[in-house]
Amino acid sequence: MKTSRTASALAILAVLAVAGCGNDKAPVASGDQNGDKSPLAEYMGEGFVSSSGGGGFKVALRAGGGQQPSEEELAKQRKVEDATASCMKTAGFEYVAVPPEQNAKSKFTDAFNLPPDKFAQQYGYGISTIDWSKAGDDDTNPNTKIRNALSPAAQKAYDKALNGPNANGSGAVVIQGGGDSRTNSGKQDLGCRGQAVEQVYGKGQDRAADFKKFDSLFKDIQALQKRIDSDQRVVDATSAWSDCMADAGHAGFTKVDDPRTKVQQKLDALTGSTPPPKGGPGKTITGPPSFDKVDSAKLSELRKFEIDLAVADQKCKAKGYDDAYKKVQYDAEKEFVDQHKAELESYRDEMANR
């Protein structure tokens, strides 16, 4: 069973606030981590991982490794589905409320449960090798069949009613540079699904305000990451990793996040998803780019590059970097938890009520 899009979005919202990011084109794919949680992850939640190399803390997507939602959370998800169906009916469209228990297993579940070395051999980092724009495709969902049976014009109207005027068929919200997606009342129009989420979970601005009280904690966590990265043991291990990568034919990487970033940059160039320069004209962003119109030969070449790079990266990290980093990370996080236990427990309780 997979957690619904609604619940996942709420959890990721909070974690991204810590990372201070949100521009990644796709989630961070990760192989099986043997269920091992760091001291801080015990409080920050499933999927919260420390990312070395100056990248901060990130969300690691493991489709098969998440905890099962509680009955209370399942009840909220059912309410969202029921409210969405009622709203769509009022808008003149058919929408079937799908119980969360019937959600299909993610098509990527088996891939994400692979050991890290096996994942790297088959998928690299999961950047160009997985078309994330199709991650939500589910032919068993009755609403997919309902939408597919409509004419192109009716599909657009259906998408607008379900997800608002700034969403495409996959539900990805479009951000138009310089545009305004608010209604005359100044409220963001997220369609029936967005209205249903607000009814059940509360308004987005209210949820954001709830997390403002954790700003100090988030800043302390970012400072913790910097201390981990600057520890001499990590610095030495990173240098050894860089030398190993050079020996494997991949010279020039000085931070362990650099190889993944390099692949993402190449994919951005290939799909035309490179962010506009600061101060430049706005650009439309529709979430993870589709590979449907990408040059197949160039995509194949990029995928080979990604897999070769990821395999070398995995082997070089396994030679000593992973153990050195984990030792420093766990020791530092244990001390951090001891010093911030009350704040972390408060954060965990807040997330449990989401």
Side-chain angles (χ1 to χ4, degrees):
M1 183 191 310
K2 72 177 182 180
T3 304
S4 76
R5 180 183 305 178
T6 300
S8 298
L10 289 170
I12 290 175
L13 170 67
V15 179
L16 288 181
V18 182
C21 62
N23 295 323
D24 288 346
K25 304 301 184 301
V28 178
S30 174
D32 176 64
Q33 300 299 323
N34 301 318
D36 187 18
K37 282 187 178 181
S38 74
L40 191 55
E42 292 288 345
Y43 294 88
M44 301 307 294
E46 186 73 23
F48 185 82
V49 295
S50 173
S51 173
S52 58
F57 291 91
K58 295 182 180 179
V59 177
L61 179 58
R62 293 184 60 237
Q67 297 177 340
Q68 299 298 334
S70 66
E71 182 53 43
E72 181 181 3
E73 173 56 34
L74 290 173
K76 289 182 178 180
Q77 293 177 30
R78 294 185 197 105
K79 289 181 179 179
V80 169
E81 283 293 298
D82 289 341
T84 300
S86 177
C87 176
M88 288 293 283
K89 182 177 181 181
T90 301
F93 293 100
E94 180 183 4
Y95 181 92
V96 178
V98 181
E101 299 91 339
Q102 294 182 16
N103 282 336
K105 182 177 74 171
S106 168
K107 64 172 66 177
F108 303 133
T109 295
D110 292 340
F112 294 146
N113 281 332
L114 290 171
D117 58 337
K118 299 298 183 183
F119 185 91
Q121 291 170 13
Q122 295 187 43
Y123 299 98
Y125 299 109
I127 297 175
S128 69
T129 57
I130 294 176
D131 189 344
W132 288 97
S133 70
K134 294 180 172 55
D137 288 355
D138 179 12
D139 293 336
T140 66
N141 189 314
N143 296 303
T144 300
K145 297 178 181 179
I146 291 171
R147 181 184 181 278
N148 289 343
L150 299 175
S151 68
Q155 285 182 359
K156 290 183 179 180
Y158 180 95
D159 296 339
K160 180 178 179 180
L162 180 60
N163 294 310
N166 291 342
N168 57 23
S170 65
V173 175
V174 179
I175 303 172
Q176 179 72 48
D180 191 354
S181 59
R182 298 180 181 275
T183 63
N184 292 334
S185 64
K187 181 180 178 181
Q188 188 86 16
D189 184 1
L190 296 178
C192 287
R193 179 174 282 141
Q195 293 176 31
V197 169
E198 284 195 349
Q199 288 176 22
V200 177
Y201 290 93
K203 295 182 179 180
Q205 56 265 39
D206 294 337
R207 295 196 300 269
D210 288 341
F211 287 108
K212 284 291 291 182
K213 61 187 175 186
F214 297 112
D215 279 355
S216 177
L217 174 63
F218 295 161
K219 290 178 181 178
D220 288 342
I221 291 176
Q222 289 178 320
L224 167 66
Q225 178 66 66
K226 291 180 180 179
R227 291 198 299 273
I228 294 173
D229 286 342
S230 61
D231 187 286
Q232 191 59 48
R233 291 167 291 178
V234 173
V235 172
D236 292 342
T238 302
S239 179
W241 165 85
S242 179
D243 291 341
C244 176
M245 290 292 286
D247 291 341
H250 303 286
F253 296 115
T254 59
K255 297 179 180 179
V256 294
D257 279 348
D258 285 351
R260 183 190 297 273
T261 300
K262 183 68 173 180
V263 175
Q264 184 66 63
Q265 290 173 341
K266 284 180 173 290
L267 180 63
D268 287 347
L270 192 59
T271 60
S273 302
T274 305
K278 290 184 178 180
K283 193 170 186 177
T284 299
I285 302 174
T286 58
S290 170
F291 298 161
D292 291 345
K293 297 182 180 180
V294 171
D295 185 301
S296 59
K298 292 182 178 179
L299 180 60
S300 178
E301 182 181 345
L302 175 56
R303 285 173 169 170
K304 183 179 184 306
F305 170 79
E306 176 178 347
I307 291 174
D308 290 345
L309 183 61
V311 168
D313 187 9
Q314 186 69 41
K315 289 180 178 179
C316 288
K317 284 179 178 175
K319 287 184 176 180
Y321 175 87
D322 284 341
D323 288 342
Y325 185 86
K326 183 176 181 178
K327 169 64 176 172
V328 174
Q329 175 199 354
Y330 277 46
D331 288 348
E333 287 191 9
K334 185 178 183 303
E335 181 181 355
F336 183 90
V337 168
D338 291 340
Q339 296 173 350
H340 298 78
K341 195 160 189 175
E343 298 167 86
L344 289 167
E345 288 178 344
S346 177
Y347 176 84
R348 183 176 59 188
D349 292 344
E350 184 77 28
M351 286 301 295
N353 293 326
R354 290 286 129 189

